[in-house]
Amino acid sequence: MSKGKILVVDDDRLVLATLSYGLTQAGFEVIDADNGDDAILLAREHRPELALLDIRMEGLTGFDVAAYLREYLQTPFMFLSAFADEATVAKVKELGAVAYLVKPLDISQIVPAVEAAFARSTPPVPATPAAPATMAEAFEAPSELPQLDMTAVAVGVLMHRYSLPRDEALARLMSLASADGHSLPEQARRIVDALELLARPGAR
């Protein structure tokens, strides 16, 4: 039995094939596309329960696809990107992504984030016809996923700013959290909030 239907979009065919294979092996029904136009057509036809989107693609970007999914299909989405600059982070938050994963990541790191996203959409008891629990409603509730997401973003920011490998960036984030007396998610949020503050007009 499928764990859920997910649309995977990336213009790197090797990445796309790797993601599609890994998620299929993990028990998901995968629909894949290597460009934004096909992604929208497939989303309209198959109505996935979640979308995993690369951001920078030729033609329609992942942001364009996300905006369409949110506006017309109410499909939750998460981003997988190699970029963690101020403008990208701000746009991700503006669009309301359920998670933002910063490359490089392997499938063993992506599957848990996808499973967590689907778990959030599953009500603890069967929904009644009078009160259906949709994925869009479920993704509005606070949970652990945004904290995991924020940590991934903060690690990506440190990698980007200091040219660090992922392990060293995570170690630096953990060291900062310990020194400041914060939890890892709290420290990650402080870093991302500071990034947003610097990105405001007039802050430079």
Side-chain angles (χ1 to χ4, degrees):
M1 180 178 176
S2 171
K3 291 182 180 179
K5 186 186 296 184
I6 180 169
L7 171 65
V8 180
V9 187
D10 198 304
D11 62 355
D12 184 321
R13 290 177 179 265
L14 178 59
V15 172
L16 184 63
T18 302
L19 291 174
S20 298
Y21 177 78
L23 289 168
T24 299
Q25 290 296 107
F28 295 96
E29 179 184 348
V30 177
I31 305 147
D32 59 36
D34 62 6
N35 64 81
D37 292 293
D38 286 350
I40 288 175
L41 291 174
L42 289 169
R44 287 168 58 90
E45 179 182 354
H46 296 281
R47 298 302 172 104
E49 298 159 85
L50 181 71
L52 176 58
L53 309 172
D54 185 29
I55 292 178
R56 299 197 181 184
M57 300 183 290
E58 291 294 327
L60 293 180
T61 68
F63 288 151
D64 296 326
V65 175
Y68 182 91
L69 294 177
R70 183 184 68 175
E71 183 71 21
Y72 296 102
L73 301 180
Q74 292 76 54
T75 303
F77 50 85
M78 55 201 301
F79 290 116
L80 177 63
S81 175
F83 301 94
D85 56 276
E86 293 93 333
T88 299
V89 172
K91 187 65 174 178
V92 166
K93 295 188 74 174
E94 176 190 332
L95 286 168
V98 299
Y100 179 41
L101 307 175
V102 182
K103 297 176 182 176
L105 287 172
D106 60 39
I107 194 67
S108 67
Q109 296 169 293
I110 294 170
V111 168
V114 171
E115 289 178 336
F118 273 98
R120 293 185 62 202
S121 72
T122 305
V125 294
T128 63
T134 65
M135 281 198 73
E137 291 166 350
F139 273 91
E140 291 172 0
S143 80
E144 291 302 307
L145 186 59
Q147 293 184 343
L148 293 173
D149 165 45
M150 199 63 68
T151 300
V153 173
V155 169
V157 168
L158 293 175
M159 289 171 66
H160 179 74
R161 283 296 178 91
Y162 300 106
S163 300
L164 296 173
R166 174 169 297 279
D167 290 347
E168 289 185 23
L170 178 58
R172 179 172 292 198
L173 179 62
M174 293 172 69
S175 177
L176 288 170
S178 177
D180 292 346
H182 297 298
S183 69
L184 193 61
E186 287 172 341
Q187 188 68 33
R189 186 172 295 279
R190 287 163 62 89
I191 288 175
V192 175
D193 287 346
L195 191 69
E196 291 184 327
L197 183 63
L198 291 172
R200 289 179 184 172
R204 296 174 183 240

